[in-house]
Amino acid sequence: MISRKLGKWIICSAWPYINAIPHLGTFIHLLTADVYSRFLKLMGEEVISVSGSDEHGTPIEVEAIKQNISPRELTDRNHEIMLELLDTYDIELSNYTRTESRIHIEFVQEFYKKLEENGFIYTKKSVQLYCNFCKRFLPDRFVEGICPYCGYQNARGDQCDKCGRLLEPIMLKNPYCVICKNRPVKKETTHWYFDLPAFRDAIREYIENNKQLPENARNFSLQWLKEGLKERAVTRDNKWGIPAPFKGAENKTIYVWMEAVLGYLSAVKELSIKVGDETLFDRFWKDPKTKTVFFIGKDNIPFHTIVFPALLLASGDNYVLPWQVSSTEFILFEGMKFSKSRGIGVWMDEAKNVADPEYWRFVLMSIRPEVKDSNFTWKEFKQIINNDLNDVLGNFIHRSLSFTYKYMKGVVPKVDNIDSDDNIFTKTIMNLCEKYVNRMYNFKIKEATRLVVETARKGNEYLSKKRPWEAPSSKNVNAVIYNTIQASAHLALMLYPFMPKASITILNILNLRDLYQKPRFMREWEIVKPGTRIRKPFPVFHKINLQRT
Ligand SMILES: [Zn+2]
Ligand SMILES: [Zn+2]
């Protein structure tokens, strides 16, 4: 018996940067947010989930210049592709928006005005690189040169791809403008900064008291605090971005990192307008009991445990601080880093042509890199689909449904004559369900997929032991069929977050179509009442043939 105190949740996933179409490794955060939201709803929790396209910043501006279109044309196109991908992979967030949304822009401007009023924004002069030919400053990726640390020839203004160190454009040796290839000059400019060091004690207290934060996020953040917090530039000399709302900052925009992160709030604001519920924003973001969850890559941890909470505190608006930051390691592709130019990896627009999007959902969650980097291989992909989903799970469910249809004329029987094997089976499946629920609540999503397969495996073992086909009229057969039907219903529910279509198909055969919308998940063994007439079963899972393996 599972009973829990239910609550309110905001599920957030890293906003995909839409300079290009996402591959498996970047899409996984959106998918996890959807899987997790579906699970919470199944448990009866109150959930909203938000994300959106992150579309400002220099990589997009540079890409647009290369393609000879405006940044907005580029992001309009890629945002449309994102919407199609969400639809294809059945990702149903409460609101998927974009950083060019009017509501986001206004929210960010008001937010920073407030921070300035509260005394946490100040200006400072600094020397930056300037291109006399392009007549512009060269922030971040507008400049390349030699890495001062490792000597790599094509280091970018914000980071060296070879040694991974964070850089400032001014640090590069032999810098050149990426647009015209000319050598830039040094020029003084003024920028607006956020007083992050003012929040050192508050952030330390927040991290130390938030027992929920995983070990990796906690240690990483405490290490950052130990090294000392530095002020963060809020503005950039860019045209493409959100105009800075500060006096004297007319030609500046807000640095993309410092505004996209506020999308978690503005997207909920936008949602409240969409659904016509003005109280929604405060009810979720300002209730200290709300649990906010962030599915992100490990390279994004400090932004979510330090910079974002400090911004929220600086606003003085009593926003709830991040409750859980579930970060993942990297996914490799056949042992290599994803690279579009070298043709290494799978991109989400192509993936759907290889296999049913639902199979991708399940496979990606089964290899979710929760503890260490994981390696995607076609061999494992095929094995998960053909063995785990088809031979184990599909086989058990199809046999359970077919036996009911064949031996019971499609009607779920009453139980009589229970023996100890039946009792053990019932207990085993209920234990696995409870384990699954615990793993999911603890963000061990990968383990939860294993438990789904394990549950079906136990079902197959039970059938192999009982062999109802050998004596279909014997007395114990009723109990066997009754039990395998209940186990199939539990399995369909466990599968729902990962493969909603397959789950609903199974529930539909069981005549329980709306079950996933009713918060009574796994509270009792009997889900399907005796006397229920099931529909004619058919195989829900199919093997795939891959030419590339
Ligand atoms: Zn380097
Ligand atoms: Zn130039």
Side-chain angles (χ1 to χ4, degrees), residues 146-152 155 159-165 167:
I146 297 171
C147 171
Y149 296 104
C150 72
Y152 178 58
Q159 193 169 22
C160 171
D161 268 348
K162 189 151 183 225
C163 69
R165 283 188 176 86
L167 303 172

Side-chain angles (χ1 to χ4, degrees), residues 100-152:
E100 271 284 282
S101 133
R102 188 181 52 82
I103 289 157
H104 176 70
I105 292 171
E106 285 171 9
F107 185 88
V108 168
Q109 290 177 328
E110 272 165 37
F111 191 92
Y112 277 105
K113 257 193 261 172
K114 186 123 196 230
L115 259 55
E116 193 182 29
E117 279 164 30
N118 293 350
F120 298 115
I121 300 285
Y122 53 84
T123 58
K124 234 175 76 174
K125 284 189 167 46
S126 68
V127 173
Q128 300 289 336
L129 297 181
Y130 184 86
C131 178
N132 276 323
F133 296 88
C134 299
K135 300 268 177 283
R136 61 169 300 157
F137 280 99
L138 302 178
D140 311 311
R141 298 199 185 182
F142 269 101
V143 60
E144 288 181 5
I146 297 171
C147 171
Y149 296 104
C150 72
Y152 178 58

Side-chain angles (χ1 to χ4, degrees), residues 395-431:
N395 186 32
F396 170 65
I397 287 176
H398 191 61
R399 287 200 292 168
S400 306
L401 297 171
S402 300
F403 291 156
T404 312
Y405 206 74
K406 205 163 147 193
Y407 304 138
M408 301 290 157
K409 300 196 173 73
V411 178
V412 177
K414 270 205 193 90
V415 217
D416 37 35
N417 263 314
I418 298 172
D419 64 23
S420 62
D421 286 336
D422 303 324
N423 279 329
I424 291 168
F425 177 67
T426 309
K427 274 204 191 91
T428 306
I429 302 299
M430 282 306 264
N431 279 338

Side-chain angles (χ1 to χ4, degrees), residues 1 7 69 82 100 112 118 120 174 198 321 325 375 444 541:
M1 192 78 123
I69 53 174
M82 281 304 303
E100 271 284 282
Y112 277 105
N118 293 350
F120 298 115
N174 292 340
L321 300 182
V325 176
N375 184 23
K444 308 267 187 218
F541 298 88

Side-chain angles (χ1 to χ4, degrees), residues 131 133-134 138 177-182:
C131 178
F133 296 88
C134 299
L138 302 178
C177 167
V178 297
I179 304 159
C180 69
K181 310 288 177 204
N182 283 304

Side-chain angles (χ1 to χ4, degrees), residues 325-504:
V325 176
S326 177
S327 67
T328 40
E329 308 288 311
F330 297 124
I331 295 182
L332 297 172
F333 180 82
E334 301 279 359
M336 292 171 287
K337 261 188 166 176
F338 280 75
S339 164
K340 188 97 197 175
S341 57
R342 288 189 288 149
I344 300 167
V346 186
W347 274 260
M348 295 320 293
D349 55 338
E350 305 158 350
K352 63 176 191 294
N353 304 327
V354 179
D356 186 324
E358 287 231 311
Y359 289 156
W360 281 105
R361 288 178 62 108
F362 192 84
V363 171
L364 279 175
M365 290 298 103
S366 336
I367 63 164
R368 186 171 183 257
E370 290 170 357
V371 184
K372 53 183 172 56
D373 288 353
S374 69
N375 184 23
F376 174 90
T377 64
W378 287 117
K379 196 175 157 208
E380 193 183 4
F381 179 75
K382 196 170 154 184
Q383 189 196 314
I384 291 171
I385 295 170
N386 289 355
N387 299 3
D388 294 351
L389 287 180
N390 193 77
D391 292 347
V392 180
L393 207 136
N395 186 32
F396 170 65
I397 287 176
H398 191 61
R399 287 200 292 168
S400 306
L401 297 171
S402 300
F403 291 156
T404 312
Y405 206 74
K406 205 163 147 193
Y407 304 138
M408 301 290 157
K409 300 196 173 73
V411 178
V412 177
K414 270 205 193 90
V415 217
D416 37 35
N417 263 314
I418 298 172
D419 64 23
S420 62
D421 286 336
D422 303 324
N423 279 329
I424 291 168
F425 177 67
T426 309
K427 274 204 191 91
T428 306
I429 302 299
M430 282 306 264
N431 279 338
L432 284 165
C433 288
E434 191 161 350
K435 247 188 183 170
Y436 163 96
V437 169
N438 280 325
R439 294 299 186 277
M440 288 296 275
Y441 268 118
N442 287 304
F443 302 92
K444 308 267 187 218
I445 299 168
K446 178 180 167 164
E447 277 181 46
T449 65
R450 299 251 162 82
L451 290 168
V452 176
V453 180
E454 182 60 20
T455 304
R457 192 167 281 129
K458 291 287 175 208
N460 283 326
E461 282 170 22
Y462 176 63
L463 276 177
S464 302
K465 190 164 189 190
K466 293 292 201 165
R467 310 178 82 77
W469 54 89
E470 280 180 355
S473 54
S474 81
K475 274 210 150 176
N476 184 239
V477 167
N478 278 5
V480 176
I481 300 234
Y482 170 88
N483 280 334
T484 54
I485 282 290
Q486 305 308 334
S488 299
H490 283 280
L491 262 172
L493 289 174
M494 289 166 100
L495 195 62
Y496 174 72
F498 304 106
M499 301 182 72
K501 283 202 176 99
S503 164
I504 292 171

